[in-house]
Amino acid sequence: MTQTMLQLEGVVAGYGPTTVLDGLALQVRAGDRLAMVGRNGVGKTTALRAIMGLVPIRAGRITFDGRDLAGLAPHRRADLGIGYVPQTRDIFPSLTVEENLVSGLKRRSRAALDEAYALFPRLAERRRNGGSQLSGGEQQMLSVARALLGQPKLLLLDEPLEGLAPLIRQELLRVFRQMSEQTGIPVVVVEQQVDEVLAYAKRAVILNHGTVVHEDSAAGLRQDQAALDRWLGMAVH
Ligand SMILES: Nc1ncnc2c1ncn2[C@@H]1O[C@H](COP(=O)(O)OP(=O)(O)OP(=O)(O)O)[C@@H](O)[C@H]1O
């Protein structure tokens, strides 16, 4: 049986008096590509933040690579191998592409930069450009490349396609697919572009009110108009 990398059991979390995650359960195995979808405000970002330790959990358990994450600060979780690319794109606008990548090297040598440039040739072309001069798609590539340089065992992506034009979204997804095939790193991706993310993912969960209400293969959900209508209120082509 494939190894479970990440497991959430009965996770409850929220902000002040508000409960956002209400008994969330998830399992991510090696090689998985899990799309987490759902209407606005159902708790998708909060789920990623809870995994990363940026939102405290009030009940339940999160285990990663066989270890209970309770009480571990976000940087300790990153050290254990959880790579997180937040919606805000985690780059330094005042640094060049190369400087941004170097900041993600941790203890690795600069030779590792070649891996990032091989996967994202566009970043190689822009290596001397400032972070703020990049297009939205290039910024997204840079934040993912930087996260990968930390050699994560799991990658969490929060709305990587947000604000990008259709052609750029297609290019980014093509690079993500290549990255997944080459590295095998399991990915959890939150996305509003449901049709596109389902074409990339292997499995999908739909969240509503902070819990999983529907689970299927990504291909299965793409065909399941009833579930898409009910939980997302949308038509997928
Ligand atoms: N820092 C915060 N303080 C208080 N409430 C918050 C905070 N962050 C999020 N919330 C609330 O928690 C709920 C869940 O937010 P979350 O961002 O997890 O949803 P989401 O499913 O990712 O939504 P979206 O698709 O719009 O990004 C929302 O009602 C939101 O307003």
Side-chain angles (χ1 to χ4, degrees):
M1 200 164 100
T2 322
Q3 190 195 354
T4 299
M5 284 305 296
L6 176 74
Q7 184 152 10
L8 276 69
E9 297 162 274
V11 170
V12 177
Y15 307 94
T18 315
T19 298
V20 175
L21 301 182
D22 195 6
L24 181 65
L26 278 184
Q27 216 178 56
V28 179
R29 296 179 187 283
D32 214 352
R33 298 202 290 266
L34 179 68
M36 204 192 289
V37 296
R39 288 193 170 96
N40 288 119
V42 296
K44 304 178 299 294
T45 294
T46 304
L48 298 187
R49 290 172 53 82
I51 295 165
M52 212 50 214
L54 295 163
V55 172
I57 67 170
R58 298 172 181 170
R61 203 157 81 110
I62 304 179
T63 48
F64 173 67
D65 206 10
R67 177 168 179 170
D68 191 334
L69 296 181
L72 289 186
H75 72 275
R76 296 273 297 116
R77 298 182 195 214
D79 287 345
L80 287 177
I82 308 181
Y84 174 51
V85 180
Q87 217 167 344
T88 48
R89 293 168 193 159
D90 202 6
I91 62 166
F92 301 109
S94 58
L95 301 184
T96 65
V97 165
E98 185 133 318
E99 287 163 347
N100 266 284
L101 291 175
V102 167
S103 76
L105 276 175
K106 299 195 175 168
R107 285 167 291 276
R108 305 180 69 198
S109 82
R110 286 181 76 100
L113 295 185
D114 292 340
E115 289 171 22
Y117 290 139
L119 203 49
F120 299 97
R122 231 176 217 265
L123 295 181
E125 292 163 22
R126 305 266 190 282
R127 69 209 298 163
R128 315 238 173 273
N129 286 49
S132 58
Q133 297 167 320
L134 302 178
S135 70
E138 289 163 353
Q139 287 181 11
Q140 189 64 46
M141 287 179 197
L142 180 56
S143 28
V144 173
R146 188 161 163 272
L148 284 174
L149 284 171
Q151 295 183 302
K153 295 178 188 157
L154 169 73
L155 203 52
L156 308 176
L157 304 176
D158 197 353
E159 295 202 31
L161 306 180
E162 193 194 17
L164 304 180
L167 277 175
I168 308 289
R169 297 205 297 264
Q170 288 309 318
E171 184 185 349
L172 200 60
L173 283 173
R174 187 184 53 72
V175 177
F176 284 178
R177 205 167 286 119
Q178 201 184 343
M179 166 192 87
S180 292
E181 280 158 13
Q182 283 177 14
T183 65
I185 296 171
V187 176
V188 179
V189 53
V190 164
E191 193 44 70
Q192 296 284 349
Q193 301 294 337
V194 175
D195 192 27
E196 289 171 1
V197 81
L198 290 180
Y200 161 71
K202 291 183 180 172
R203 291 195 306 125
V205 288
I206 302 179
L207 261 58
N208 197 41
H209 295 308
T211 193
V212 173
V213 289
H214 190 85
E215 188 163 359
D216 199 350
S217 66
L221 179 57
R222 264 184 124 185
Q223 304 300 323
D224 189 345
Q225 200 54 56
L228 293 167
D229 281 345
R230 178 169 183 198
W231 301 114
L232 304 169
M234 63 174 296
V236 165
H237 317 287

